[in-house]
Amino acid sequence: MLKVVERVLKFRDVRGWKKYHNPKDLAASIVIEASELLEIFQWVSEEESYDVARRNIERVREEVADILIYLIYLADVLQIDLEDAVLEKLKKNEEKYPVE
Ligand SMILES: [Mg+2]
């Protein structure tokens, strides 16, 4: 994960794009990319969605990657350590939803 984060941030930095990255636009970009992912499954049933995903796996992969890339940019701008944030949230979820 760390290697991916470094590569994504380097891609941005060598192009001088960080100055365009503010929290609002990055949050919007995450939603826009998530919508592009959702669009692949528009008007298909839950059952059909497995087959649609298989037939469009390249597009699905690209949109999943786009979402993660913008998430990495947002976390960087807000100085959020993604690993810490995920582990802290998992801990809260474990307390909220204990295994029976
Ligand atoms: Mg996209």
Side-chain angles (χ1 to χ4, degrees), residues 33 36 63 66:
E33 296 301 340
E36 290 177 4
E63 301 310 344
D66 283 340

Side-chain angles (χ1 to χ4, degrees), residues 7-72:
R7 283 282 310 274
V8 168
L9 296 179
K10 189 180 175 193
F11 176 91
R12 174 200 67 187
D13 291 341
V14 296
R15 287 164 179 78
W17 288 354
K18 192 174 181 179
K19 60 180 175 284
Y20 305 115
H21 288 179
N22 62 74
K24 178 194 69 80
D25 287 336
L26 290 171
S29 296
I30 292 166
V31 174
I32 290 164
E33 296 301 340
S35 298
E36 290 177 4
L37 175 63
L38 184 57
E39 188 181 24
I40 297 167
F41 303 105
Q42 192 176 24
W43 309 121
V44 304
S45 69
E46 285 181 35
E47 204 175 321
E48 290 167 332
S49 67
Y50 294 97
D51 189 47
V52 168
R54 269 192 298 274
R55 284 189 280 109
N56 295 277
I57 195 64
E58 274 310 308
R59 270 182 73 200
V60 171
R61 282 169 55 96
E62 284 190 14
E63 301 310 344
V64 166
D66 283 340
I67 294 164
L68 183 57
I69 288 167
Y70 278 122
L71 199 53
I72 289 169

